[in-house]
């Protein structure tokens, strides 16, 4: 049985359209104009137990709105969803004890209190025994490298340290489903890696079902086998991350090292593909997939090649092209 099942989910927002100037404000008192924005449009997908799925899309695509509906914070305009057998926006206590939502740009810890006190409050809310609380906090703070930060006021922690404490607070009650919205936003590369390693390990050990949004492709590549791409509120792609390159990038990058790469040679090479980079002893070509082998054979025959390298297009470039469409 799927842990998360979404069917034809739609969310539209009705917003007041104010006319400019004082006269526009005055008219608005009597005749208001509204416009409708569809944030999520007929979205359907399923996620199985223990899956770690990347949820991608440009800004304003509908990712956070979808997560908020699945967390029960927003009521949909139409459609249905089941998470752990519950309808999220009915907000049953049994459901709220089984999921967690982490918003990278929102704080759940008390700003003026030490992190430990906020964690102890969460433990009381969820009815977590003292010994279980101490063991969970000890293990998680050790893994995230913030054991010595528990008694420091949250406002005095760095962004990375606060994000790690937010993760601990969300996972104290061992939720079966975790919604992560930009958990590494603004973090330095070291903190990003620490958080990614922690999420991967937690998913593997606890079999927690995780839906992750991120604009950092390193997060998606290291953590997710499957991705769902949403654009303008609609599902654009749902499948394995490895299939994105095969489906949306119809070329590969061929780099050749040779003794001479003057302009004349570069012009000759343009017949095999697009020259995207040229240096003193190397040229990089963008070659159609079905022409890679013939092009390489021809290059080896015509030039004094010292090395040749064939690579897939970086996944972040493919995603960027998809978003730009």
């Amino acid at each position: 049985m799927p842990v998360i099942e979404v069917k034809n989910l739609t969310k539209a927002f009705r917003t007041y359209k104010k006319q400019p100037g004082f006269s526009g404000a005055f008219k608005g008192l009597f005749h208001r104009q509204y416009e409708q924005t569809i944030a999520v449009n007929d979205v359907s997908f399923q996620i199985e137990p223990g899956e770690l799925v990347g949820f991608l899309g440009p800004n304003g695509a509908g990712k956070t709105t979808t997560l908020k509906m699945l967390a029960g914070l927003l009521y949909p305009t139409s459609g249905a969803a089941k998470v752990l057998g519950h309808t999220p926006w009915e907000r049953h206590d049994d459901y709220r004890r089984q999921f967690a939502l982490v918003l990278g740009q929102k704080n759940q810890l008390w700003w003026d209190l030490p992190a430990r006190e906020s964690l102890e409050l969460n433990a009381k809310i969820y009815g977590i025994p003292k010994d279980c609380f101490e063991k969970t906090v000890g293990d998680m703070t050790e893994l995230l490298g913030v054991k010595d930060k528990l008694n420091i006021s949250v406002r005095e922690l760095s962004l990375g340290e606060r994000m790690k404490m937010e993760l601990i607070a969300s996972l104290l009650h061992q939720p079966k489903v975790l919604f992560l919205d930009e958990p590494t936003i603004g973090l330095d590369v070291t903190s990003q890696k620490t958080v990614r390693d922690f999420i991967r390990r937690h998913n593997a050990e606890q079999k927690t079902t995780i839906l992750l949004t991120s604009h950092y492709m390193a997060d998606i590549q290291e953590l997710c086998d499957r991705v769902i791409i949403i654009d303008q509120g609609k599902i654009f792609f749902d499948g394995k991350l490895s299939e994105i390159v095969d489906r949306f990038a119809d070329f590969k990058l061929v780099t050749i090292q040779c003794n001479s790469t003057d302009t004349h040679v570069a012009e000759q090479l343009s017949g095999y593909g697009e020259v995207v980079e040229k240096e003193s002893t190397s040229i990089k070509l963008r070659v159609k997939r079905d022409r890679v082998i013939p092009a390489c054979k021809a290059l080896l025959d015509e030039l004094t090649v010292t090395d040749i390298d064939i690579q897939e297009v970086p996944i972040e470039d493919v995603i960027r092209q998809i978003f730009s469409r």
Side-chain angles (χ1 to χ4, degrees), residues 120-156:
E120 288 176 347
L121 176 60
N122 279 17
K124 292 292 185 183
I125 292 172
Y126 286 103
I128 302 172
K130 183 69 174 176
D131 57 342
C132 182
F133 167 78
E134 293 293 345
K135 183 180 186 307
T136 302
V137 171
D139 291 344
M140 290 187 179
T141 52
E142 185 72 31
L143 287 171
L144 289 168
V146 289
K147 200 165 190 175
D148 59 337
K149 307 294 182 181
L150 280 170
N151 295 315
I152 298 176
S153 174
V154 171
R155 67 164 58 249
E156 296 176 7

Side-chain angles (χ1 to χ4, degrees), residues 195-247:
V195 170
R196 284 197 296 264
D197 291 344
F198 175 80
I199 293 171
R200 183 190 301 108
R201 179 168 179 169
H202 186 83
N203 173 252
E205 294 180 353
Q206 303 297 327
K207 306 303 180 185
T208 306
T209 304
I210 301 176
L211 188 58
L212 164 70
T213 78
S214 180
H215 285 297
Y216 298 121
M217 283 309 302
D219 293 349
I220 304 300
Q221 286 181 275
E222 291 191 25
L223 295 174
C224 307
D225 290 327
R226 174 189 170 194
V227 294
I228 299 172
I229 300 178
I230 185 172
D231 189 21
Q232 297 182 359
K234 286 182 171 290
I235 297 293
F236 180 80
F237 174 84
D238 183 355
K240 290 186 175 296
L241 181 62
S242 57
E243 293 176 1
I244 293 179
V245 174
D246 294 336
R247 179 171 171 181

Side-chain angles (χ1 to χ4, degrees), residues 5-7 9-10 66 68-83 86-92 95:
E5 190 171 9
V6 177
K7 293 182 179 179
L9 201 61
T10 298
T66 302
K68 286 183 176 179
M69 285 191 286
L70 294 179
L73 298 180
L74 292 177
Y75 199 95
T77 304
S78 64
K82 290 287 185 182
V83 183
H86 296 273
T87 301
W89 41 90
E90 292 179 355
R91 296 189 62 77
H92 294 149
Y95 172 59

Side-chain angles (χ1 to χ4, degrees), residues 11-212:
K11 178 62 180 177
F13 292 98
R14 185 169 178 254
T15 55
Y16 166 52
K17 186 177 180 181
K18 180 184 175 299
Q19 298 298 317
F22 176 77
S23 62
F26 183 75
K27 291 177 182 177
L29 294 174
F30 304 98
H31 301 286
R32 292 204 161 202
Q33 294 183 356
Y34 293 91
E35 60 182 16
Q36 181 172 275
T37 301
I38 299 178
V40 177
N41 189 358
D42 199 33
V43 164
S44 299
F45 60 84
Q46 293 183 350
I47 297 179
E48 301 299 322
E51 273 197 286
L52 203 169
V53 180
F55 198 36
L56 305 180
N59 290 329
K63 305 185 300 297
T64 302
T65 300
T66 302
L67 292 190
K68 286 183 176 179
M69 285 191 286
L70 294 179
L73 298 180
L74 292 177
Y75 199 95
T77 304
S78 64
K82 290 287 185 182
V83 183
L84 297 167
H86 296 273
T87 301
W89 41 90
E90 292 179 355
R91 296 189 62 77
H92 294 149
D93 287 344
D94 185 47
Y95 172 59
R96 288 190 287 177
R97 291 179 179 276
Q98 297 185 73
F99 85 94
L101 170 66
V102 178
L103 299 172
Q105 302 184 63
K106 300 281 186 181
N107 295 325
Q108 63 175 315
L109 302 177
W110 289 85
W111 192 248
D112 295 309
L113 296 179
R116 172 176 281 278
E117 295 189 21
S118 289
L119 296 177
E120 288 176 347
L121 176 60
N122 279 17
K124 292 292 185 183
I125 292 172
Y126 286 103
I128 302 172
K130 183 69 174 176
D131 57 342
C132 182
F133 167 78
E134 293 293 345
K135 183 180 186 307
T136 302
V137 171
D139 291 344
M140 290 187 179
T141 52
E142 185 72 31
L143 287 171
L144 289 168
V146 289
K147 200 165 190 175
D148 59 337
K149 307 294 182 181
L150 280 170
N151 295 315
I152 298 176
S153 174
V154 171
R155 67 164 58 249
E156 296 176 7
L157 297 175
S158 69
L159 178 60
E161 291 165 348
R162 286 203 304 273
M163 190 65 245
K164 292 170 185 177
M165 293 297 184
E166 294 282 347
L167 273 174
I168 294 170
S170 298
L171 296 172
L172 267 182
H173 59 293
Q174 301 295 325
K176 295 179 180 178
V177 174
L178 178 61
F179 301 117
L180 291 175
D181 188 31
E182 302 283 357
T184 59
I185 189 169
L187 305 189
D188 61 66
V189 291
T190 302
S191 295
Q192 287 178 22
K193 187 178 187 310
T194 301
V195 170
R196 284 197 296 264
D197 291 344
F198 175 80
I199 293 171
R200 183 190 301 108
R201 179 168 179 169
H202 186 83
N203 173 252
E205 294 180 353
Q206 303 297 327
K207 306 303 180 185
T208 306
T209 304
I210 301 176
L211 188 58
L212 164 70

